[in-house]
Amino acid sequence: MKSDRSVPVVIVGAGFSGTMVAAHLARRGIRSLLIEPRDVAGQGTAFSTADPAHLLNVPAGKMSPWPDAPDDFADIAGEGDAFAPRRDYGGYLRAILDDAVSDGATVVRDRALSASKADGGWTVELESGERIGADALVIAIGNQPPDAPAYAATAGERLIGNPWDEQGRAAIADAAANDLDVMIIGTGLTMVDIVLSLDSAGHGGRILALSRRGLAPRSHAASDLAPVELDDVPAGDALALLRWLRDRSGAVGWRAAVDSLRPHTKVLWQGLGVEQQRLFLRHARPWWDVHRHRIAPQVAQQVADRVAAGTLEIAGGRILGMDPIGDGIDVRFRRRGDEAVERRHFGYVFNCTGPLHDIGRTRDPLLRQMLDDGLVRPDQLGIGLAVGDRSQALGADRLWALGALTKGRYWEIIAVPDIRGQAADVAADIATELAQ
Ligand SMILES: Cc1cc2nc3c(=O)[nH]c(=O)nc-3n(C[C@H](O)[C@H](O)[C@H](O)COP(=O)(O)OP(=O)(O)OC[C@H]3O[C@@H](n4cnc5c(N)ncnc54)[C@H](O)[C@@H]3O)c2cc1C
């Protein structure tokens, strides 16, 4: 395939991951071209929110994107232990991208549709029809959106698939203006965001947030550090690890126990082997997620206040079906541990069921094509792409993947404190490869 222009490195996706690879490459004097369909590049899913109520869920002191300058963001945010608005972090990332652009990076507002091997490198085809040639290709497209639920086909337009697009924002505004009852499917971080957005818009209706287990993110709180040596943690056995975690939580508190595993997560995860990893995902993942990925205390308080006021219920259960009725939607569901079927009317239902867990079902055009053509392959669990220890896609030359796409290999690779090191390493690896 003949290319229209060529650059040393093409990076698909300009969220945190793609932006930081471009920034590190620029520091090394290597030109890159970032492809990003969003209006504003550099912020990705998490940091493009305009709502000041949406706070970082990691304190500023741990949010530096630079591994070698750990206080870079805290210096700007003012306080290291504060939870800054995510839009401020988005502005900060945008400035880093602007610096990279001044030093040789280019941003193209477009979507990558396909990639093919060419002349020892890659050709990437864009939605606009343009073809870009590159010596190296980086895929940094983040978490994949979930499958549409089976009942979506008949649910009508009051079921909101993406709460942050124009239709989603209008639904939040309408629900708030008319105090409509709202259902949120999913009880994770996006549920929290919607509750905050409804709150800031003055919503006085009731909210029911439903997920299979009804587990919601826990709050950050001051806790003493209780570091452990890797040798003191059971390896290779998921249930033994969970028992250890329970006992240690009893001794030092669950926050300190969970956090003490952080420096060892990659080694522990890889030491589990595929069967034990599956076991962990099946039985412990929801529990791990809500304890490990916590929310700012003031956000947790806001959620708790709504629960106490009776305007927010977070419950376990299963949706059985939905029907558009009048100006809203009727939902049939069963609560966890209860056979009775409930039927309730909501003004809107927001689908926030979290990322797709089966990478083979991705609808991203580039990833779909690369999987179908065998250019990349799923990891051992099918939750991301198979990559080697340097985040290079297995079986392909000069191809790297970052962030959530590599969670099968690294597990904890979905937030800034983990991805920042990976972005620096990938840029260093690209520099080494291109020098050969
Ligand atoms: C609600 C929420 C809050 C969070 N809060 C925090 C926090 O406080 N602190 C923290 O450390 N982490 C937080 N995270 C985790 C966050 O996702 C990561 O920290 C990080 O931002 C992930 O960045 P990414 O670039 O890997 O993915 P993304 O941010 O998803 O970026 C991927 C980009 O790729 C683009 N893209 C996708 N497909 C294509 C294509 N075919 N062609 C071109 N471009 C494409 C997308 O448009 C997108 O901009 C949060 C996540 C969520 C969902």
Side-chain angles (χ1 to χ4, degrees), residues 12-18 35-38 44-47 56-58 63 86 110-112 140-142 193 364 366 414-417 419:
V12 181
F16 176 82
S17 302
I35 303 160
E36 171 58 57
R38 287 174 187 270
T45 318
F47 308 121
L56 292 174
N57 53 33
V58 176
M63 282 294 288
R86 294 214 301 272
D110 214 323
R111 185 181 298 277
I141 59 175
D193 271 5
D364 183 87
L366 173 72
I414 55 172
V416 166
I419 304 175

PDB file of all heavy atoms in Angstrom, residues 12-18 35-38 44-47 56-58 63 86 110-112 140-142 193 364 366 414-417 419, ligand 1:
ATOM      1  N   VAL A  12      -1.321   5.482  17.535  1.00  0.00           N
ATOM      2  CA  VAL A  12      -2.783   5.522  17.384  1.00  0.00           C
ATOM      3  C   VAL A  12      -3.404   5.725  18.766  1.00  0.00           C
ATOM      4  O   VAL A  12      -3.232   4.904  19.662  1.00  0.00           O
ATOM      5  CB  VAL A  12      -3.306   4.223  16.744  1.00  0.00           C
ATOM      6  CG1 VAL A  12      -4.824   4.315  16.570  1.00  0.00           C
ATOM      7  CG2 VAL A  12      -2.631   3.966  15.414  1.00  0.00           C
ATOM      8  N   GLY A  13      -4.096   6.853  18.933  1.00  0.00           N
ATOM      9  CA  GLY A  13      -4.713   7.197  20.215  1.00  0.00           C
ATOM     10  C   GLY A  13      -3.869   8.209  20.957  1.00  0.00           C
ATOM     11  O   GLY A  13      -2.696   7.972  21.237  1.00  0.00           O
ATOM     12  N   ALA A  14      -4.472   9.387  21.242  1.00  0.00           N
ATOM     13  CA  ALA A  14      -3.745  10.421  21.993  1.00  0.00           C
ATOM     14  C   ALA A  14      -4.436  10.681  23.322  1.00  0.00           C
ATOM     15  O   ALA A  14      -4.816  11.800  23.648  1.00  0.00           O
ATOM     16  CB  ALA A  14      -3.631  11.707  21.178  1.00  0.00           C
ATOM     17  N   GLY A  15      -4.624   9.609  24.097  1.00  0.00           N
ATOM     18  CA  GLY A  15      -4.980   9.758  25.503  1.00  0.00           C
ATOM     19  C   GLY A  15      -3.689   9.914  26.285  1.00  0.00           C
ATOM     20  O   GLY A  15      -2.649  10.310  25.735  1.00  0.00           O
ATOM     21  N   PHE A  16      -3.726   9.587  27.575  1.00  0.00           N
ATOM     22  CA  PHE A  16      -2.516   9.701  28.388  1.00  0.00           C
ATOM     23  C   PHE A  16      -1.367   8.887  27.782  1.00  0.00           C
ATOM     24  O   PHE A  16      -0.236   9.379  27.647  1.00  0.00           O
ATOM     25  CB  PHE A  16      -2.795   9.221  29.824  1.00  0.00           C
ATOM     26  CG  PHE A  16      -1.565   9.218  30.682  1.00  0.00           C
ATOM     27  CD1 PHE A  16      -1.130  10.386  31.282  1.00  0.00           C
ATOM     28  CD2 PHE A  16      -0.819   8.053  30.850  1.00  0.00           C
ATOM     29  CE1 PHE A  16       0.033  10.391  32.047  1.00  0.00           C
ATOM     30  CE2 PHE A  16       0.337   8.054  31.619  1.00  0.00           C
ATOM     31  CZ  PHE A  16       0.765   9.227  32.219  1.00  0.00           C
ATOM     32  N   SER A  17      -1.665   7.618  27.397  1.00  0.00           N
ATOM     33  CA  SER A  17      -0.597   6.711  26.947  1.00  0.00           C
ATOM     34  C   SER A  17       0.087   7.216  25.684  1.00  0.00           C
ATOM     35  O   SER A  17       1.318   7.335  25.631  1.00  0.00           O
ATOM     36  CB  SER A  17      -1.165   5.309  26.675  1.00  0.00           C
ATOM     37  OG  SER A  17      -1.787   4.795  27.815  1.00  0.00           O
ATOM     38  N   GLY A  18      -0.725   7.511  24.654  1.00  0.00           N
ATOM     39  CA  GLY A  18      -0.147   7.955  23.384  1.00  0.00           C
ATOM     40  C   GLY A  18       0.580   9.279  23.555  1.00  0.00           C
ATOM     41  O   GLY A  18       1.679   9.487  23.010  1.00  0.00           O
ATOM     42  N   ILE A  35      -2.602   9.884  16.009  1.00  0.00           N
ATOM     43  CA  ILE A  35      -3.916   9.886  15.365  1.00  0.00           C
ATOM     44  C   ILE A  35      -4.974   9.839  16.462  1.00  0.00           C
ATOM     45  O   ILE A  35      -4.957   8.932  17.300  1.00  0.00           O
ATOM     46  CB  ILE A  35      -4.060   8.655  14.445  1.00  0.00           C
ATOM     47  CG1 ILE A  35      -2.936   8.646  13.419  1.00  0.00           C
ATOM     48  CG2 ILE A  35      -5.421   8.649  13.757  1.00  0.00           C
ATOM     49  CD1 ILE A  35      -2.705   7.295  12.806  1.00  0.00           C
ATOM     50  N   GLU A  36      -5.876  10.815  16.465  1.00  0.00           N
ATOM     51  CA  GLU A  36      -6.867  10.893  17.549  1.00  0.00           C
ATOM     52  C   GLU A  36      -8.153  11.524  17.001  1.00  0.00           C
ATOM     53  O   GLU A  36      -8.129  12.648  16.524  1.00  0.00           O
ATOM     54  CB  GLU A  36      -6.315  11.740  18.706  1.00  0.00           C
ATOM     55  CG  GLU A  36      -7.308  12.077  19.799  1.00  0.00           C
ATOM     56  CD  GLU A  36      -7.931  10.860  20.468  1.00  0.00           C
ATOM     57  OE1 GLU A  36      -7.180  10.018  20.992  1.00  0.00           O
ATOM     58  OE2 GLU A  36      -9.179  10.743  20.450  1.00  0.00           O
ATOM     59  N   PRO A  37      -9.278  10.826  17.110  1.00  0.00           N
ATOM     60  CA  PRO A  37     -10.523  11.387  16.566  1.00  0.00           C
ATOM     61  C   PRO A  37     -11.200  12.439  17.447  1.00  0.00           C
ATOM     62  O   PRO A  37     -12.063  13.174  16.965  1.00  0.00           O
ATOM     63  CB  PRO A  37     -11.435  10.155  16.434  1.00  0.00           C
ATOM     64  CG  PRO A  37     -10.902   9.153  17.404  1.00  0.00           C
ATOM     65  CD  PRO A  37      -9.436   9.440  17.567  1.00  0.00           C
ATOM     66  N   ARG A  38     -10.849  12.522  18.729  1.00  0.00           N
ATOM     67  CA  ARG A  38     -11.527  13.490  19.607  1.00  0.00           C
ATOM     68  C   ARG A  38     -11.221  14.925  19.193  1.00  0.00           C
ATOM     69  O   ARG A  38     -10.167  15.199  18.640  1.00  0.00           O
ATOM     70  CB  ARG A  38     -11.038  13.334  21.053  1.00  0.00           C
ATOM     71  CG  ARG A  38     -11.555  12.111  21.737  1.00  0.00           C
ATOM     72  CD  ARG A  38     -10.898  11.964  23.094  1.00  0.00           C
ATOM     73  NE  ARG A  38     -11.282  10.699  23.670  1.00  0.00           N
ATOM     74  CZ  ARG A  38     -12.352  10.528  24.452  1.00  0.00           C
ATOM     75  NH1 ARG A  38     -13.094  11.553  24.787  1.00  0.00           N
ATOM     76  NH2 ARG A  38     -12.662   9.338  24.908  1.00  0.00           N
ATOM     77  N   GLY A  44      -7.775  11.931  26.330  1.00  0.00           N
ATOM     78  CA  GLY A  44      -8.384  10.606  26.359  1.00  0.00           C
ATOM     79  C   GLY A  44      -9.692  10.579  27.130  1.00  0.00           C
ATOM     80  O   GLY A  44     -10.308  11.610  27.410  1.00  0.00           O
ATOM     81  N   THR A  45     -10.096   9.374  27.492  1.00  0.00           N
ATOM     82  CA  THR A  45     -11.405   9.170  28.105  1.00  0.00           C
ATOM     83  C   THR A  45     -11.496   9.821  29.484  1.00  0.00           C
ATOM     84  O   THR A  45     -12.475  10.499  29.797  1.00  0.00           O
ATOM     85  CB  THR A  45     -11.651   7.651  28.273  1.00  0.00           C
ATOM     86  OG1 THR A  45     -11.200   6.998  27.100  1.00  0.00           O
ATOM     87  CG2 THR A  45     -13.110   7.336  28.515  1.00  0.00           C
ATOM     88  N   ALA A  46     -10.499   9.616  30.313  1.00  0.00           N
ATOM     89  CA  ALA A  46     -10.606  10.014  31.717  1.00  0.00           C
ATOM     90  C   ALA A  46     -10.474  11.523  31.915  1.00  0.00           C
ATOM     91  O   ALA A  46     -11.127  12.094  32.786  1.00  0.00           O
ATOM     92  CB  ALA A  46      -9.536   9.301  32.543  1.00  0.00           C
ATOM     93  N   PHE A  47      -9.636  12.175  31.118  1.00  0.00           N
ATOM     94  CA  PHE A  47      -9.268  13.563  31.430  1.00  0.00           C
ATOM     95  C   PHE A  47      -9.875  14.575  30.461  1.00  0.00           C
ATOM     96  O   PHE A  47      -9.454  15.725  30.426  1.00  0.00           O
ATOM     97  CB  PHE A  47      -7.744  13.683  31.498  1.00  0.00           C
ATOM     98  CG  PHE A  47      -7.147  12.644  32.426  1.00  0.00           C
ATOM     99  CD1 PHE A  47      -6.220  11.720  31.972  1.00  0.00           C
ATOM    100  CD2 PHE A  47      -7.569  12.571  33.750  1.00  0.00           C
ATOM    101  CE1 PHE A  47      -5.702  10.745  32.815  1.00  0.00           C
ATOM    102  CE2 PHE A  47      -7.063  11.602  34.605  1.00  0.00           C
ATOM    103  CZ  PHE A  47      -6.126  10.683  34.135  1.00  0.00           C
ATOM    104  N   LEU A  56      -9.815  13.678  40.258  1.00  0.00           N
ATOM    105  CA  LEU A  56      -8.875  12.569  40.114  1.00  0.00           C
ATOM    106  C   LEU A  56      -9.137  11.570  41.221  1.00  0.00           C
ATOM    107  O   LEU A  56      -9.516  11.948  42.337  1.00  0.00           O
ATOM    108  CB  LEU A  56      -7.435  13.074  40.222  1.00  0.00           C
ATOM    109  CG  LEU A  56      -6.930  13.968  39.095  1.00  0.00           C
ATOM    110  CD1 LEU A  56      -5.536  14.498  39.447  1.00  0.00           C
ATOM    111  CD2 LEU A  56      -6.897  13.218  37.776  1.00  0.00           C
ATOM    112  N   ASN A  57      -8.914  10.274  40.924  1.00  0.00           N
ATOM    113  CA  ASN A  57      -9.061   9.303  42.001  1.00  0.00           C
ATOM    114  C   ASN A  57      -7.695   8.867  42.539  1.00  0.00           C
ATOM    115  O   ASN A  57      -7.585   7.897  43.281  1.00  0.00           O
ATOM    116  CB  ASN A  57      -9.914   8.099  41.575  1.00  0.00           C
ATOM    117  CG  ASN A  57      -9.416   7.451  40.307  1.00  0.00           C
ATOM    118  OD1 ASN A  57      -8.220   7.446  40.064  1.00  0.00           O
ATOM    119  ND2 ASN A  57     -10.305   6.917  39.501  1.00  0.00           N
ATOM    120  N   VAL A  58      -6.672   9.613  42.147  1.00  0.00           N
ATOM    121  CA  VAL A  58      -5.314   9.385  42.655  1.00  0.00           C
ATOM    122  C   VAL A  58      -4.816  10.753  43.136  1.00  0.00           C
ATOM    123  O   VAL A  58      -5.016  11.750  42.441  1.00  0.00           O
ATOM    124  CB  VAL A  58      -4.386   8.863  41.519  1.00  0.00           C
ATOM    125  CG1 VAL A  58      -2.953   8.708  41.997  1.00  0.00           C
ATOM    126  CG2 VAL A  58      -4.916   7.549  40.945  1.00  0.00           C
ATOM    127  N   MET A  63       0.434  11.614  40.572  1.00  0.00           N
ATOM    128  CA  MET A  63      -0.066  11.727  39.199  1.00  0.00           C
ATOM    129  C   MET A  63       0.947  12.321  38.224  1.00  0.00           C
ATOM    130  O   MET A  63       0.588  12.680  37.098  1.00  0.00           O
ATOM    131  CB  MET A  63      -1.339  12.586  39.180  1.00  0.00           C
ATOM    132  CG  MET A  63      -2.587  11.855  39.650  1.00  0.00           C
ATOM    133  SD  MET A  63      -3.108  10.483  38.562  1.00  0.00           S
ATOM    134  CE  MET A  63      -3.738  11.377  37.149  1.00  0.00           C
ATOM    135  N   ARG A  86     -10.320  16.478  37.365  1.00  0.00           N
ATOM    136  CA  ARG A  86      -9.698  15.768  36.234  1.00  0.00           C
ATOM    137  C   ARG A  86      -9.508  16.690  35.038  1.00  0.00           C
ATOM    138  O   ARG A  86      -8.605  16.505  34.240  1.00  0.00           O
ATOM    139  CB  ARG A  86     -10.552  14.546  35.842  1.00  0.00           C
ATOM    140  CG  ARG A  86     -10.605  13.453  36.914  1.00  0.00           C
ATOM    141  CD  ARG A  86     -10.690  12.053  36.297  1.00  0.00           C
ATOM    142  NE  ARG A  86     -11.831  11.864  35.445  1.00  0.00           N
ATOM    143  CZ  ARG A  86     -13.034  11.456  35.862  1.00  0.00           C
ATOM    144  NH1 ARG A  86     -13.246  11.215  37.140  1.00  0.00           N
ATOM    145  NH2 ARG A  86     -14.014  11.291  35.014  1.00  0.00           N
ATOM    146  N   ASP A 110      -8.259  12.250  13.309  1.00  0.00           N
ATOM    147  CA  ASP A 110      -8.730  11.205  12.396  1.00  0.00           C
ATOM    148  C   ASP A 110      -8.841   9.910  13.183  1.00  0.00           C
ATOM    149  O   ASP A 110      -8.490   9.876  14.369  1.00  0.00           O
ATOM    150  CB  ASP A 110      -7.713  11.036  11.242  1.00  0.00           C
ATOM    151  CG  ASP A 110      -8.398  10.684   9.922  1.00  0.00           C
ATOM    152  OD1 ASP A 110      -9.380   9.930   9.963  1.00  0.00           O
ATOM    153  OD2 ASP A 110      -7.919  11.155   8.873  1.00  0.00           O
ATOM    154  N   ARG A 111      -9.320   8.867  12.540  1.00  0.00           N
ATOM    155  CA  ARG A 111      -9.407   7.567  13.201  1.00  0.00           C
ATOM    156  C   ARG A 111      -8.634   6.554  12.353  1.00  0.00           C
ATOM    157  O   ARG A 111      -8.745   6.566  11.126  1.00  0.00           O
ATOM    158  CB  ARG A 111     -10.878   7.140  13.295  1.00  0.00           C
ATOM    159  CG  ARG A 111     -11.122   5.852  14.067  1.00  0.00           C
ATOM    160  CD  ARG A 111     -12.587   5.506  14.084  1.00  0.00           C
ATOM    161  NE  ARG A 111     -13.391   6.514  14.739  1.00  0.00           N
ATOM    162  CZ  ARG A 111     -13.567   6.612  16.054  1.00  0.00           C
ATOM    163  NH1 ARG A 111     -13.002   5.738  16.861  1.00  0.00           N
ATOM    164  NH2 ARG A 111     -14.327   7.561  16.551  1.00  0.00           N
ATOM    165  N   ALA A 112      -7.841   5.715  13.014  1.00  0.00           N
ATOM    166  CA  ALA A 112      -7.109   4.676  12.270  1.00  0.00           C
ATOM    167  C   ALA A 112      -8.070   3.527  11.988  1.00  0.00           C
ATOM    168  O   ALA A 112      -8.771   3.056  12.887  1.00  0.00           O
ATOM    169  CB  ALA A 112      -5.921   4.195  13.097  1.00  0.00           C
ATOM    170  N   ALA A 140      -2.324   2.731  21.211  1.00  0.00           N
ATOM    171  CA  ALA A 140      -2.612   3.240  22.565  1.00  0.00           C
ATOM    172  C   ALA A 140      -4.070   3.668  22.630  1.00  0.00           C
ATOM    173  O   ALA A 140      -4.379   4.822  22.926  1.00  0.00           O
ATOM    174  CB  ALA A 140      -1.681   4.417  22.884  1.00  0.00           C
ATOM    175  N   ILE A 141      -4.963   2.724  22.350  1.00  0.00           N
ATOM    176  CA  ILE A 141      -6.374   3.105  22.206  1.00  0.00           C
ATOM    177  C   ILE A 141      -7.199   2.834  23.462  1.00  0.00           C
ATOM    178  O   ILE A 141      -8.421   2.954  23.438  1.00  0.00           O
ATOM    179  CB  ILE A 141      -7.022   2.426  20.973  1.00  0.00           C
ATOM    180  CG1 ILE A 141      -6.944   0.905  21.089  1.00  0.00           C
ATOM    181  CG2 ILE A 141      -6.348   2.903  19.691  1.00  0.00           C
ATOM    182  CD1 ILE A 141      -7.681   0.201  19.956  1.00  0.00           C
ATOM    183  N   GLY A 142      -6.547   2.491  24.556  1.00  0.00           N
ATOM    184  CA  GLY A 142      -7.235   2.427  25.850  1.00  0.00           C
ATOM    185  C   GLY A 142      -8.201   1.258  25.969  1.00  0.00           C
ATOM    186  O   GLY A 142      -8.155   0.303  25.196  1.00  0.00           O
ATOM    187  N   ASP A 193     -19.221   9.144  38.474  1.00  0.00           N
ATOM    188  CA  ASP A 193     -19.201  10.372  37.656  1.00  0.00           C
ATOM    189  C   ASP A 193     -20.616  10.855  37.347  1.00  0.00           C
ATOM    190  O   ASP A 193     -20.912  12.054  37.393  1.00  0.00           O
ATOM    191  CB  ASP A 193     -18.491  10.106  36.323  1.00  0.00           C
ATOM    192  CG  ASP A 193     -16.991  10.348  36.408  1.00  0.00           C
ATOM    193  OD1 ASP A 193     -16.500  10.623  37.511  1.00  0.00           O
ATOM    194  OD2 ASP A 193     -16.323  10.255  35.367  1.00  0.00           O
ATOM    195  N   ASP A 364     -13.470  -1.708  17.730  1.00  0.00           N
ATOM    196  CA  ASP A 364     -12.560  -0.695  17.192  1.00  0.00           C
ATOM    197  C   ASP A 364     -12.078  -1.192  15.821  1.00  0.00           C
ATOM    198  O   ASP A 364     -11.567  -2.302  15.712  1.00  0.00           O
ATOM    199  CB  ASP A 364     -11.355  -0.504  18.115  1.00  0.00           C
ATOM    200  CG  ASP A 364     -10.450   0.593  17.589  1.00  0.00           C
ATOM    201  OD1 ASP A 364     -10.690   1.769  17.920  1.00  0.00           O
ATOM    202  OD2 ASP A 364      -9.517   0.277  16.818  1.00  0.00           O
ATOM    203  N   LEU A 366      -9.552  -0.576  13.825  1.00  0.00           N
ATOM    204  CA  LEU A 366      -8.135  -0.936  13.657  1.00  0.00           C
ATOM    205  C   LEU A 366      -7.828  -2.258  14.370  1.00  0.00           C
ATOM    206  O   LEU A 366      -7.234  -3.173  13.785  1.00  0.00           O
ATOM    207  CB  LEU A 366      -7.250   0.177  14.229  1.00  0.00           C
ATOM    208  CG  LEU A 366      -5.763  -0.167  14.262  1.00  0.00           C
ATOM    209  CD1 LEU A 366      -5.182  -0.167  12.855  1.00  0.00           C
ATOM    210  CD2 LEU A 366      -4.992   0.800  15.146  1.00  0.00           C
ATOM    211  N   ILE A 414      -3.547   0.331  34.260  1.00  0.00           N
ATOM    212  CA  ILE A 414      -4.694   1.099  33.779  1.00  0.00           C
ATOM    213  C   ILE A 414      -4.743   2.516  34.353  1.00  0.00           C
ATOM    214  O   ILE A 414      -5.657   3.255  34.059  1.00  0.00           O
ATOM    215  CB  ILE A 414      -6.026   0.370  34.087  1.00  0.00           C
ATOM    216  CG1 ILE A 414      -6.149   0.048  35.575  1.00  0.00           C
ATOM    217  CG2 ILE A 414      -6.159  -0.902  33.278  1.00  0.00           C
ATOM    218  CD1 ILE A 414      -7.512  -0.486  35.949  1.00  0.00           C
ATOM    219  N   ALA A 415      -3.761   2.890  35.176  1.00  0.00           N
ATOM    220  CA  ALA A 415      -3.774   4.247  35.725  1.00  0.00           C
ATOM    221  C   ALA A 415      -2.391   4.875  35.557  1.00  0.00           C
ATOM    222  O   ALA A 415      -1.395   4.185  35.303  1.00  0.00           O
ATOM    223  CB  ALA A 415      -4.175   4.227  37.195  1.00  0.00           C
ATOM    224  N   VAL A 416      -2.355   6.197  35.712  1.00  0.00           N
ATOM    225  CA  VAL A 416      -1.139   6.971  35.455  1.00  0.00           C
ATOM    226  C   VAL A 416       0.110   6.418  36.173  1.00  0.00           C
ATOM    227  O   VAL A 416       1.171   6.276  35.549  1.00  0.00           O
ATOM    228  CB  VAL A 416      -1.382   8.461  35.804  1.00  0.00           C
ATOM    229  CG1 VAL A 416      -0.082   9.247  35.884  1.00  0.00           C
ATOM    230  CG2 VAL A 416      -2.334   9.071  34.789  1.00  0.00           C
ATOM    231  N   PRO A 417       0.032   6.114  37.491  1.00  0.00           N
ATOM    232  CA  PRO A 417       1.259   5.681  38.164  1.00  0.00           C
ATOM    233  C   PRO A 417       1.889   4.431  37.547  1.00  0.00           C
ATOM    234  O   PRO A 417       3.083   4.195  37.720  1.00  0.00           O
ATOM    235  CB  PRO A 417       0.788   5.391  39.599  1.00  0.00           C
ATOM    236  CG  PRO A 417      -0.446   6.218  39.773  1.00  0.00           C
ATOM    237  CD  PRO A 417      -1.115   6.246  38.421  1.00  0.00           C
ATOM    238  N   ILE A 419       1.125   3.436  34.004  1.00  0.00           N
ATOM    239  CA  ILE A 419       1.353   3.616  32.557  1.00  0.00           C
ATOM    240  C   ILE A 419       2.534   4.551  32.299  1.00  0.00           C
ATOM    241  O   ILE A 419       3.199   4.455  31.278  1.00  0.00           O
ATOM    242  CB  ILE A 419       0.083   4.159  31.852  1.00  0.00           C
ATOM    243  CG1 ILE A 419      -1.127   3.249  32.116  1.00  0.00           C
ATOM    244  CG2 ILE A 419       0.303   4.242  30.344  1.00  0.00           C
ATOM    245  CD1 ILE A 419      -2.442   3.778  31.559  1.00  0.00           C
TER     246      ILE A 419
HETATM  247  C1  LIG B   1     -13.917   7.736  34.838  1.00  0.00           C
HETATM  248  C2  LIG B   1     -12.453   7.460  34.913  1.00  0.00           C
HETATM  249  C3  LIG B   1     -11.664   8.148  35.809  1.00  0.00           C
HETATM  250  C4  LIG B   1     -10.301   7.883  35.901  1.00  0.00           C
HETATM  251  N1  LIG B   1      -9.548   8.590  36.785  1.00  0.00           N
HETATM  252  C5  LIG B   1      -8.227   8.359  36.865  1.00  0.00           C
HETATM  253  C6  LIG B   1      -7.410   9.085  37.780  1.00  0.00           C
HETATM  254  O1  LIG B   1      -7.879   9.936  38.522  1.00  0.00           O
HETATM  255  N2  LIG B   1      -6.073   8.800  37.827  1.00  0.00           N
HETATM  256  C7  LIG B   1      -5.520   7.846  37.029  1.00  0.00           C
HETATM  257  O2  LIG B   1      -4.322   7.621  37.115  1.00  0.00           O
HETATM  258  N3  LIG B   1      -6.271   7.145  36.160  1.00  0.00           N
HETATM  259  C8  LIG B   1      -7.596   7.374  36.052  1.00  0.00           C
HETATM  260  N4  LIG B   1      -8.348   6.659  35.177  1.00  0.00           N
HETATM  261  C9  LIG B   1      -7.685   5.637  34.336  1.00  0.00           C
HETATM  262  C10 LIG B   1      -7.281   6.227  32.981  1.00  0.00           C
HETATM  263  O3  LIG B   1      -8.052   5.563  32.027  1.00  0.00           O
HETATM  264  C11 LIG B   1      -5.794   6.078  32.724  1.00  0.00           C
HETATM  265  O4  LIG B   1      -5.088   6.766  33.720  1.00  0.00           O
HETATM  266  C12 LIG B   1      -5.302   6.659  31.387  1.00  0.00           C
HETATM  267  O5  LIG B   1      -5.812   7.943  31.225  1.00  0.00           O
HETATM  268  C13 LIG B   1      -5.598   5.781  30.204  1.00  0.00           C
HETATM  269  O6  LIG B   1      -5.141   6.443  29.052  1.00  0.00           O
HETATM  270  P1  LIG B   1      -5.018   5.733  27.635  1.00  0.00           P
HETATM  271  O7  LIG B   1      -4.372   6.699  26.727  1.00  0.00           O
HETATM  272  O8  LIG B   1      -4.368   4.398  27.786  1.00  0.00           O
HETATM  273  O9  LIG B   1      -6.529   5.428  27.184  1.00  0.00           O
HETATM  274  P2  LIG B   1      -7.674   6.461  26.770  1.00  0.00           P
HETATM  275  O10 LIG B   1      -7.752   7.596  27.688  1.00  0.00           O
HETATM  276  O11 LIG B   1      -8.905   5.631  26.602  1.00  0.00           O
HETATM  277  O12 LIG B   1      -7.213   7.016  25.347  1.00  0.00           O
HETATM  278  C14 LIG B   1      -7.288   6.257  24.181  1.00  0.00           C
HETATM  279  C15 LIG B   1      -7.522   7.191  23.014  1.00  0.00           C
HETATM  280  O13 LIG B   1      -7.484   6.430  21.800  1.00  0.00           O
HETATM  281  C16 LIG B   1      -8.409   6.970  20.898  1.00  0.00           C
HETATM  282  N5  LIG B   1      -8.751   5.934  19.899  1.00  0.00           N
HETATM  283  C17 LIG B   1      -9.460   4.797  20.090  1.00  0.00           C
HETATM  284  N6  LIG B   1      -9.544   4.089  18.930  1.00  0.00           N
HETATM  285  C18 LIG B   1      -8.868   4.809  17.998  1.00  0.00           C
HETATM  286  C19 LIG B   1      -8.602   4.620  16.609  1.00  0.00           C
HETATM  287  N7  LIG B   1      -9.019   3.525  15.940  1.00  0.00           N
HETATM  288  N8  LIG B   1      -7.897   5.569  15.941  1.00  0.00           N
HETATM  289  C20 LIG B   1      -7.423   6.662  16.611  1.00  0.00           C
HETATM  290  N9  LIG B   1      -7.644   6.889  17.929  1.00  0.00           N
HETATM  291  C21 LIG B   1      -8.368   5.972  18.607  1.00  0.00           C
HETATM  292  C22 LIG B   1      -9.576   7.398  21.784  1.00  0.00           C
HETATM  293  O14 LIG B   1     -10.351   8.406  21.158  1.00  0.00           O
HETATM  294  C23 LIG B   1      -8.886   7.882  23.049  1.00  0.00           C
HETATM  295  O15 LIG B   1      -8.727   9.268  23.096  1.00  0.00           O
HETATM  296  C24 LIG B   1      -9.719   6.899  35.070  1.00  0.00           C
HETATM  297  C25 LIG B   1     -10.514   6.210  34.149  1.00  0.00           C
HETATM  298  C26 LIG B   1     -11.865   6.488  34.063  1.00  0.00           C
HETATM  299  C27 LIG B   1     -12.701   5.740  33.056  1.00  0.00           C
END
